[in-house]
Amino acid sequence: NIMSTEIYISSDCETNGPIPGPHSMLSLGAAAFTLDSETPISTFYVNLLDLPGSQPDPNTEAWWNEPSQAKAKQALSIDRVDPKLAMEKFSSWVSSTCKSYSPVFVAYPAGFDFLFVYWYLRYFGLSSPFSFSALDLKTFAMATLGGNYRNATKKNMPKRWFAAQPHTHIAIDDAVEQGIMFLRMKKENDLKKKVSKL
């Protein structure tokens, strides 16, 4: 079974702008899942200091300053570490968690979170433990539900896919939440394929 050789690293970045380099990753949360349990086998969380010379994007900064984001913004200020050290720790965590398994990066949207993680890893002289294996949950939702990609939004997804915990914009919370969503989507997708073969 090919799937048994993979571990799914559900990852979430909080940032102060749309692209890495000019802007910074503020926080990285990740939760490692196998296909047989909605409980992560391991989790990772780190808050990062800003990249030297980077600046917050005005629109993103305005969003962080909204009262609704006060708790998430406060969480970003705790135990911030050098970004190079943060990525070294993350790379080591992925390697030690996956061992002989292949890590697959899972995100919503992968085009945003993988961009930041891959850029940071390479910028600080590290290789990507994922290579380019980044699974996008929006694409997977489109494949599972059918229809158009742009209609595969959370408001159009079935409630049964969502975990009980709220979406907090605290990276580790959101990483766990979307990992559970991925597992439920995968299970449903596999079941549909079994039924269609009958």
Side-chain angles (χ1 to χ4, degrees):
N1 186 344
I2 293 170
M3 286 301 177
S4 68
T5 66
E6 295 179 339
I7 288 178
Y8 300 89
I9 310 290
S10 176
S11 304
D12 183 72
C13 300
E14 300 301 335
T15 74
N16 65 6
I19 56 172
H23 314 299
S24 293
M25 187 188 335
L26 305 176
S27 186
L28 172 59
F33 290 89
T34 57
L35 292 176
D36 56 359
S37 175
E38 291 187 357
T39 302
I41 58 172
S42 182
T43 59
F44 177 89
Y45 180 67
V46 67
N47 289 328
L48 295 79
L49 292 166
D50 291 1
L51 293 168
S54 69
Q55 294 290 329
D57 168 68
N59 291 331
T60 309
E61 191 170 34
W63 180 84
W64 277 117
N65 287 329
E66 290 177 9
S68 60
Q69 304 309 326
K71 184 180 177 185
K73 185 180 179 182
Q74 195 276 328
L76 295 172
S77 66
I78 301 166
D79 297 331
R80 299 176 77 198
V81 304
D82 175 82
K84 183 175 189 289
L85 177 62
M87 299 318 292
E88 288 171 348
K89 284 176 178 284
F90 177 67
S91 181
S92 295
W93 173 79
V94 174
S95 297
S96 65
T97 300
C98 294
K99 295 187 175 71
S100 60
Y101 291 80
S102 298
V104 176
F105 189 97
V106 176
Y108 185 105
F112 179 81
D113 297 277
F114 188 72
L115 167 72
F116 268 88
V117 170
Y118 185 83
W119 188 97
Y120 264 70
L121 286 166
R122 300 300 295 164
Y123 183 76
F124 290 113
L126 301 162
S127 60
S128 168
F130 309 98
S131 184
F132 294 103
S133 299
L135 189 153
D136 177 53
L137 284 184
K138 193 174 167 77
T139 306
F140 196 27
M142 174 193 174
T144 305
L145 295 171
N148 295 329
Y149 176 80
R150 291 190 178 276
N151 288 336
T153 57
K154 287 187 177 179
K155 70 176 183 180
N156 292 330
M157 293 178 189
K159 296 286 183 281
R160 62 182 175 273
W161 288 0
F162 292 87
Q165 60 259 47
H167 194 76
T168 64
H169 292 291
I170 296 172
I172 186 58
D173 293 350
D174 294 353
V176 171
E177 176 206 20
Q178 75 182 11
I180 293 169
M181 176 185 281
F182 162 69
L183 292 176
R184 292 179 181 182
M185 289 164 68
K186 177 80 172 75
K187 193 173 183 181
E188 196 161 305
N189 204 300
D190 289 351
L191 194 61
K192 279 170 69 175
K193 285 184 176 153
K194 280 181 185 172
V195 169
S196 70
K197 286 178 182 177
L198 295 176

